Amino acid sequence: MSGVICQDWQDRKPKMKKDLISIKDLSIEEIEEIFLLTDKLKENKQKYSQSLKGKTIALIFQKPSNRTRVSFAVGMFQLGGLSIYLGPNEISLGIRETTRDVAMTLSRYVDGIVLRTFEHKNIIELAKYSKVPVINGLSDLLHPCQALSDLYTLREKWGFLKGKILSFIGDGNNVTHSLLYGCSKVGLNLNIATPKKFQPNKEIVSEAVRFAASSGAKINLSNDPLKACKDADALYTDVWTSMGQEKESAMRRKVFKNFQLNKKLVSQAKRDCLIMHCLPAHRQEEITDEVMDSENSIIFDQAENRLHVQKSILLKLLGEK
Ligand code: CP
Ligand code: NVA
């Protein structure tokens, strides 16, 4: 009898809320679990069609979005749940009311919150006061859902990641930071070439180097795009002007001129080198049409996998009782 009572208590004991704020917080086992569940979700979509029945997520977006917004909304629908989009004019996070009060109110209504914001500290603050899982849908610092989908896409193409070389050419910004965490965790070698003033965050690089020591990944930073592309298995770029930096776009076009992903850079890489971009792309700026639309481009597979990987993340965070 006491055993039953104990079991009952165990079942009702509140579980710790899990968030997805940074790949830094994920173990290699957790990353692999997300990927294995993504495989299953892709193989048998129908099987999971009611997995989040009766559950709701709020999508708080302070910046524009195509892929992140649509893939979370469609993903939630395909899992039997509901999503509510809250654009910049609805919630006005931190302006109409504090982030803390938004977190505490939404926690009474929804089962998870996706936040796309400017300052990364907004996500930390929201997660601190939210009683439901918070997912980082991009901040100025990180874009973990993107990098997880990118690694999943490469794993799907190659069958494995360890020992391959990914070269990122462009701005050492949010996408680069999440790739640093992701590659260093899974053992994928990462070359990064940026202009001197646009190198990735030093603290994140140090942490990635520490993770790489365990996984065996090699992390190389330089300001030489040609060198960085040498023998790469995949080449990746992102916009030169990220959301919120629009006033700097003329200056950035000049500084990044030699960092365009074009035929010359691709010729340095392996013959079957894959071409990647998180999108949106500014065609003919950071990437030429020729490269973007080439046979080896997996850019739209990356975009598609945002849907499947995020369904897996939603199930991991919201689905398990
Ligand atoms: N890659 C990405 O996050 O795209 P959106 O900005 O359109 O969501
Ligand atoms: N670095 C880009 C990524 C867009 C998905 C931005 O922040 O605008």
XYZ file of all heavy atoms in Angstrom, residues 63 67-68 116 138-140 143 146 171 173-176 238-239 241-246 278-280 306, ligand 2:
215
model
N 10.443 40.320 -34.257
C 11.106 40.557 -35.543
C 10.330 39.792 -36.607
O 9.615 38.841 -36.271
C 12.535 39.997 -35.519
C 13.521 40.707 -34.636
C 14.874 39.986 -34.692
C 15.918 40.707 -33.878
N 17.219 40.032 -33.908
N 10.248 31.273 -42.097
C 10.486 29.889 -41.705
C 10.138 29.576 -40.247
O 9.414 28.622 -39.969
C 11.964 29.506 -41.951
C 12.280 29.210 -43.382
C 13.650 29.715 -43.745
N 13.666 31.157 -43.767
C 13.350 31.907 -44.822
N 13.054 31.331 -45.943
N 13.335 33.236 -44.763
N 10.636 30.371 -39.324
C 10.468 30.030 -37.906
C 8.995 30.090 -37.512
O 8.458 29.165 -36.901
C 11.320 30.982 -37.042
O 12.641 30.986 -37.571
C 11.349 30.536 -35.590
N 10.979 35.148 -30.421
C 11.992 35.743 -31.318
C 12.146 37.195 -30.895
O 11.176 37.958 -30.895
C 11.557 35.656 -32.779
C 12.438 36.519 -33.683
C 12.276 36.234 -35.140
N 12.898 34.978 -35.505
C 13.242 34.642 -36.743
N 13.035 35.477 -37.745
N 13.795 33.470 -36.998
N 15.166 32.744 -32.110
C 16.227 33.653 -32.591
C 16.317 34.868 -31.674
O 15.316 35.504 -31.328
C 15.984 34.138 -34.039
C 17.044 35.075 -34.671
C 17.172 34.837 -36.180
C 16.691 36.547 -34.423
N 17.544 35.148 -31.290
C 17.866 36.405 -30.601
C 19.063 36.996 -31.339
O 19.625 36.344 -32.224
C 18.219 36.140 -29.136
O 19.448 35.435 -29.050
N 19.477 38.187 -30.949
C 20.664 38.780 -31.575
C 21.899 37.899 -31.345
O 22.867 37.975 -32.094
C 20.941 40.185 -31.001
C 19.943 41.213 -31.529
O 19.241 40.903 -32.509
O 19.863 42.308 -30.945
N 20.685 31.331 -32.504
C 19.557 30.796 -33.286
C 19.628 29.259 -33.218
O 19.942 28.593 -34.205
C 19.655 31.304 -34.728
C 18.387 31.191 -35.508
N 17.191 30.724 -34.970
C 18.108 31.482 -36.816
C 16.257 30.741 -35.899
N 16.775 31.187 -37.018
N 17.729 26.842 -35.706
C 18.334 26.842 -37.034
C 19.525 25.876 -37.073
O 19.618 25.010 -37.940
C 18.807 28.267 -37.381
C 19.481 28.379 -38.723
C 18.515 28.161 -39.876
O 17.467 28.795 -39.918
N 18.833 27.253 -40.787
N 29.265 36.756 -41.474
C 29.181 37.502 -40.225
C 29.221 36.551 -39.023
O 28.481 35.556 -38.991
C 27.853 38.294 -40.231
C 27.785 39.322 -39.119
O 28.809 39.562 -38.439
O 26.698 39.904 -38.936
N 27.764 36.094 -36.325
C 26.572 36.549 -35.607
C 25.807 35.371 -34.980
O 26.394 34.319 -34.721
C 25.710 37.351 -36.604
C 24.672 38.199 -35.936
O 24.768 38.515 -34.757
N 23.651 38.559 -36.679
N 24.485 35.557 -34.789
C 23.660 34.556 -34.097
C 23.744 33.136 -34.693
O 23.899 32.153 -33.950
C 22.191 35.023 -34.007
C 21.654 35.638 -35.285
O 22.266 35.510 -36.350
N 20.511 36.293 -35.199
N 23.650 33.028 -36.016
C 23.682 31.701 -36.643
C 25.065 31.063 -36.427
O 25.174 29.893 -36.049
C 23.318 31.800 -38.152
C 23.572 30.491 -38.873
C 21.857 32.220 -38.306
N 26.111 31.863 -36.622
C 27.491 31.374 -36.408
C 27.662 30.889 -34.965
O 28.276 29.850 -34.722
C 28.506 32.512 -36.670
O 28.014 33.330 -37.721
C 29.866 31.968 -37.010
N 25.293 33.411 -44.321
C 24.108 34.083 -43.779
C 24.146 35.514 -44.295
O 25.182 35.963 -44.825
C 24.195 34.038 -42.230
C 23.002 34.673 -41.524
O 21.984 34.954 -42.178
O 23.096 34.884 -40.286
N 23.075 36.239 -44.098
C 23.036 37.642 -44.566
C 24.157 38.460 -43.925
O 24.629 38.138 -42.838
C 21.678 38.320 -44.228
C 20.568 37.782 -45.099
C 21.345 38.210 -42.752
N 23.678 41.720 -43.336
C 22.958 42.652 -42.468
C 21.800 41.894 -41.828
O 20.843 41.528 -42.502
C 22.417 43.847 -43.295
O 23.523 44.504 -43.903
C 21.657 44.817 -42.428
N 21.921 41.642 -40.540
C 20.868 40.901 -39.850
C 19.726 41.827 -39.453
O 19.871 43.062 -39.472
C 21.450 40.234 -38.600
O 22.222 39.123 -38.964
N 18.618 41.216 -39.048
C 17.449 42.004 -38.632
C 17.825 42.924 -37.465
O 18.429 42.467 -36.497
C 16.322 41.055 -38.203
C 15.719 40.280 -39.352
S 14.453 39.123 -38.803
C 15.423 37.702 -38.332
N 17.514 44.176 -37.613
C 17.847 45.151 -36.578
C 19.090 45.959 -36.910
O 19.402 46.944 -36.251
N 19.844 45.529 -37.951
C 21.100 46.223 -38.303
C 20.956 47.009 -39.602
O 21.959 47.407 -40.204
C 22.229 45.188 -38.473
C 22.499 44.364 -37.235
C 23.462 43.216 -37.500
O 23.565 42.730 -38.634
N 24.148 42.772 -36.478
N 19.727 47.221 -40.034
C 19.472 47.780 -41.373
C 20.222 49.088 -41.642
O 20.644 49.340 -42.770
C 17.958 47.966 -41.594
C 17.173 46.660 -41.775
C 16.931 45.879 -40.487
O 17.203 46.419 -39.393
O 16.474 44.721 -40.573
N 20.901 29.846 -44.156
C 19.745 29.732 -43.256
C 18.499 30.398 -43.828
O 17.389 30.086 -43.410
C 20.094 30.326 -41.897
S 20.698 32.020 -42.017
N 18.681 31.336 -44.762
C 17.607 32.125 -45.359
C 16.991 33.060 -44.299
O 16.964 32.677 -43.143
C 16.520 31.238 -45.979
C 16.970 30.302 -47.120
C 15.797 29.418 -47.551
C 17.479 31.102 -48.319
N 16.477 34.215 -44.652
C 16.343 34.724 -46.005
C 17.703 35.086 -46.600
O 18.597 35.510 -45.877
C 15.500 35.998 -45.822
C 15.792 36.446 -44.427
C 16.030 35.201 -43.639
N 13.521 22.570 -40.724
C 13.118 23.392 -39.578
C 11.806 22.843 -39.010
O 11.622 22.746 -37.794
C 12.928 24.861 -39.997
C 14.180 25.589 -40.444
C 15.130 25.843 -39.291
N 14.502 26.549 -38.193
C 14.357 27.877 -38.108
N 14.825 28.651 -39.065
N 13.784 28.438 -37.047
N 21.494 36.520 -38.939
C 20.154 36.596 -39.455
C 19.498 35.251 -39.394
C 18.119 35.193 -39.994
C 17.499 33.853 -39.836
C 19.363 37.617 -38.681
O 19.477 37.637 -37.446
O 18.638 38.406 -39.293
